[in-house]
Each structure stands twice: as structure tokens, then as C-alpha cells.
Amino acid sequence: MYKKIISVMTALVLAMTIFAGCSSSSNSSTTSEDMSTMDFVLSMGLGINLGNTMECSGFTKETVREYETAWGSPVITERIIQGYADMGFGVVRIPVAWSNMMAEDYTINADYLARVQEIVGWVLDAGMKCIVNIHWDGGWWENFSTDKETCMEKYKSIWTQLSEAFKDYSLDLMFESLNEEGCWDDIWNRYGHSTEGKEEAYALLGEINQTFVDIVRASGGNNELRHLLIAGYATDAELTCDEMFVLPDDPAGRYAISIHYYTPSTFAVIDEDASWGEARTTWGTDEDYYELEKYMDLIYDTYIANGIPVIIGEYGCTTSNKMPDQIRNYLTAVCEAAYVRGMCPVLWDTTGTHYDRSSCEFYDMEIIEAFDEIKTLDRMVESTYTEEAA
């Protein structure tokens, strides 16, 4: 049984220093400045990912538009982003591959950065929160285990540049340290029936996350108080709730933990049989609900109950070879289980999956109706933020 991580409650420490000029050219909102990160996460409601768009990578293209559309997305427009708000979402997560068109000295391409900033601006202008990360990004993350010095140099360069570029944006913009690549099977493999290398693997992720916090906090501007999202180990529920997961030292105490949920993988991840599992077309047995509740309770008991907020940065399922009611049952069950426990569930979505980027509505509007009902449910964590405190 995993031991609970005992928080020193730094996640609830609210630095009350008020900044003048917390707005960017894209958004004048400053309300997130007055919130603890727990309240900030609660205020998000439900979220959605702009998937398979700005994180397209692993090949060489000449222009930003070619990368943006490489995996099937149309060019993103303000109308598409506004559609997320119209569907009732409170936060958009923008996965990004910053290595695209990057110079040899790790300088981020100016056009690529400007395009991400434009999309971030549309999200904030629509009244939503925004999360920006470094995603899979061509897979260079796996080299941390064999060439940490080079990888850390690149990592530091990226976050130094991003911290500078976004430091005057409103605190409705959140930074995420990395995606789900914070795990190294060549150091420790969870399926290897051994703990050899486990402490080293967890320590490496802890060092990366601490570097992220240090860079952002030292960059000035609104980054001194910006809410941060810290990637869990492989963003896996069990592995992130393990006692070896290292929480960062953050002087502002303003961070949440990122966990992804694709369980069971035979339903959520694959739509045809694979070497490691037989694809499921249905979900919703008593055993399925028990498994969902077990993991959500584990996350709640480890973090939320100890004052540390959690964002389910990705959850979802493939839609091929599944009936709409089965997809709907799974998505709404996961969403509700996370939401009522005070987490923000952020749906993984790509072009042609759930949200139609042409009509700017969901293909299955019954999902949106169910999401709207979920947002009326009582939560196990109460917000301490009031508009009067702003």
C-alpha cells in the first residue's frame, strides 16, 4: 500500500503581493492573482486539450502552418477557440513541441513562439484559463537517462525563453513542466519486479521539476506568482502517488500535480487487439467503476486531502470500434469522479474525435449535456476565493 505524501501545506500558501500590470496584451484579467492554486484549479471547471496541433513533431517541415496541420488539424482560428468556451470549458491545455524549427543553440523559432502566443491570447480573451507545456517534442526526453547534461541544457534554455516571453501574461496562464515522458525504463521499469534504480528514476524527475520551478520563479514579472503544473511520474496515478515522488520546493507554494488517466488502457488507448492486450468495446461493469473509484480515491487521499491540487491533464478514449453510449459513459464517469473530488479533468481531444473544429461543436452533444450536469454537482473541496477578495 502506498504511503501518503504528507504536505507541509505549501501548496496552500498564498503570496499576497499584488502586482501592478498583471495583464498581457491578450487579457486584462488579474483575478487568478488572488487565488490559491487549489482555488485556481477549482475555478477551471472542466478542460479540453488542443491535441495533435502545436505538438506535431518527429519530422522536418519548413513552416509553422505545416507543423500545425501535419496530424490533420485545420489551421486554428479564434472561432475554434471561442467554441471551446461556448461548449462550457474553463481551461484549454495547449501541448507544444518547441523543438520544431529550433536553432542548434536551442533558440525557439520566433514564428513558432508567436503562433503559440496568438492561440494563448485567444484562449484568455475567451475568458478561459490556459495551460502551456513541453510535450513529447520528438522524444528527446528519453535521453535524460544517458545524457542528462545535454538534455538539461536544452530544457533550461526552453523554459528560460518561455518564462521571458510570457512573464507579463495574466496569471490565467499556467505553465506545465513537461508531459508524461518523465519516466525512464532503462533506469527503472515498474514491470521488472525490482526496486533497483527506482529512487534514481524518481530523483531525476524531481530534479527536472525543481529546475522548472527555479527558472520560472527567478524570471520576474507575473512568473513570481504564476500557478505551475508539476508532472507526476509518467503522470501515472499509482506512480505519482508513490512515496518516492519528489514534490518541488516552491517559494510561492503555487503549484498543482499533473496526472493522466487512461484506465483501462484496453478500452481507453487501443481500438484493436495489440500484443499486450485485447481491445475492449465496452466499459461500465461494477469492476470498471470500482477501479475508477479506487484510483480517484488514491489521488484524493494522497494530494487533495493534504492541500495539494491536482489536474487530470489528460483523460479520454479512442472512438473507433466503440458505440457512442460506451464512449459517453466512460468520459462522463471519469470526468465526474475527478470533478467531485476537486480535480480539474482535461479531456484529450484531437481533430475528428470529440470536438468538430469545423462546426465548433461536439459531435455528440449529449456529452456536453452530461458535462454541464457534472458542473452542478457538489465537490469534496470548497473554494475559499471570493470576488470581494480580488
Side-chain angles (χ1 to χ4, degrees):
M1 184 175 181
Y2 294 102
K3 295 181 180 178
K4 295 181 183 179
I5 298 172
I6 303 302
S7 166
V8 295
M9 302 305 287
T10 56
L12 290 181
V13 174
L14 177 58
M16 295 305 293
T17 303
I18 304 299
F19 275 78
C22 270
S23 65
S24 72
S25 58
S26 351
N27 185 15
S28 59
S29 172
T30 62
T31 58
S32 298
E33 173 184 347
D34 304 289
M35 296 182 181
S36 68
T37 303
M38 184 70 80
D39 286 344
F40 183 71
V41 172
L42 291 172
S43 75
M44 290 178 171
L46 309 182
I48 191 167
N49 278 270
L50 184 67
N52 286 11
T53 310
M54 300 312 298
E55 86 277 23
C56 299
S57 57
F59 42 81
T60 301
K61 298 291 184 181
E62 298 297 324
T63 67
V64 177
R65 175 168 292 197
E66 286 179 301
Y67 278 108
E68 183 174 337
T69 59
W71 290 349
S73 176
V75 173
I76 299 303
T77 63
E78 188 170 8
R79 177 173 173 264
I80 291 173
I81 299 300
Q82 180 61 47
Y84 291 138
D86 294 342
M87 290 292 99
F89 293 103
V91 60
V92 176
R93 180 173 179 257
I94 304 177
V96 184
W98 296 104
S99 294
N100 292 340
M101 304 170 65
M102 177 179 277
E104 291 185 5
D105 65 354
Y106 306 134
T107 299
I108 296 172
N109 180 271
D111 292 337
Y112 213 89
L113 175 58
R115 177 56 173 155
V116 174
Q117 288 179 308
E118 182 175 38
I119 296 172
V120 169
W122 290 336
V123 172
L124 300 179
D125 283 345
M128 296 181 287
K129 310 292 193 299
C130 186
I131 300 170
V132 168
N133 78 349
I134 305 176
H135 216 65
W136 178 71
D137 201 17
W140 60 274
W141 290 96
E142 65 186 33
N143 297 324
F144 261 102
S145 62
T146 56
D147 190 5
K148 186 176 76 171
E149 183 178 352
T150 299
C151 290
M152 192 64 82
E153 180 185 359
K154 180 174 182 176
Y155 184 76
K156 289 179 178 179
S157 178
I158 291 173
W159 274 115
T160 298
Q161 293 173 75
L162 296 182
S163 296
E164 178 64 27
F166 288 106
K167 70 179 183 181
D168 293 325
Y169 277 61
S170 96
L171 300 184
D172 285 342
L173 171 62
M174 187 179 214
F175 294 158
E176 181 181 15
S177 60
L178 63 146
N179 184 46
E180 58 193 26
E181 288 74 42
C183 57
W184 298 272
D185 288 349
D186 57 337
I187 300 178
W188 174 71
N189 189 329
R190 71 186 299 185
Y191 303 109
H193 307 293
S194 172
T195 59
E196 184 178 356
K198 181 177 179 180
E199 185 174 0
E200 179 186 354
Y202 273 81
L204 178 55
L205 177 61
E207 182 179 353
I208 294 169
N209 280 331
Q210 187 63 59
T211 298
F212 163 72
V213 172
D214 292 345
I215 289 172
V216 174
R217 294 296 181 230
S219 62
N222 292 338
N223 291 338
E224 293 184 21
L225 291 179
R226 190 168 305 285
H227 303 282
L228 304 179
L229 186 55
I230 306 300
Y233 195 89
T235 58
D236 175 88
E238 283 188 323
L239 298 183
T240 303
C241 292
D242 191 286
E243 61 183 354
M244 283 196 182
F245 180 66
V246 181
L247 296 172
D249 179 13
D250 178 14
R254 290 164 72 84
Y255 65 82
I257 304 299
S258 175
I259 295 175
H260 294 179
Y261 194 85
Y262 292 109
T263 303
S265 54
T266 49
F267 180 83
V269 177
I270 58 176
D271 50 30
E272 58 184 27
D273 294 347
S275 60
W276 51 268
E278 182 178 341
R280 292 180 51 180
T281 59
T282 62
W283 183 91
T285 66
D286 289 344
E287 291 78 10
D288 288 335
Y289 278 101
Y290 173 81
E291 182 178 52
L292 172 61
E293 296 294 315
K294 178 187 72 173
Y295 283 122
M296 291 297 170
D297 282 344
L298 175 64
I299 297 169
Y300 177 87
D301 291 342
T302 304
Y303 290 111
I304 306 295
N306 287 297
I308 303 173
V310 172
I311 293 175
I312 304 298
E314 294 180 17
Y315 76 98
C317 66
T318 60
T319 55
S320 299
N321 298 328
K322 296 178 180 69
M323 296 300 292
D325 64 322
Q326 297 298 311
I327 297 168
R328 192 182 311 126
N329 288 346
Y330 178 78
L331 296 183
T332 54
V334 175
C335 181
E336 179 177 333
Y339 180 84
V340 297
R341 289 170 175 81
M343 309 172 208
C344 173
V346 186
L347 177 66
W348 179 256
D349 184 55
T350 64
T351 304
T353 303
H354 302 298
Y355 177 79
D356 185 345
R357 296 184 184 183
S358 296
S359 68
C360 300
E361 293 185 340
F362 262 51
Y363 294 107
D364 182 359
M365 287 298 292
E366 288 187 48
I367 294 176
I368 293 299
E369 293 173 6
F371 283 172
D372 286 343
E373 291 183 10
I374 289 170
K375 288 186 291 184
T376 68
L377 300 175
D378 291 334
R379 311 181 81 174
M380 295 168 68
V381 180
E382 293 186 7
S383 174
T384 60
Y385 174 78
T386 61
E387 291 294 335
E388 289 77 12

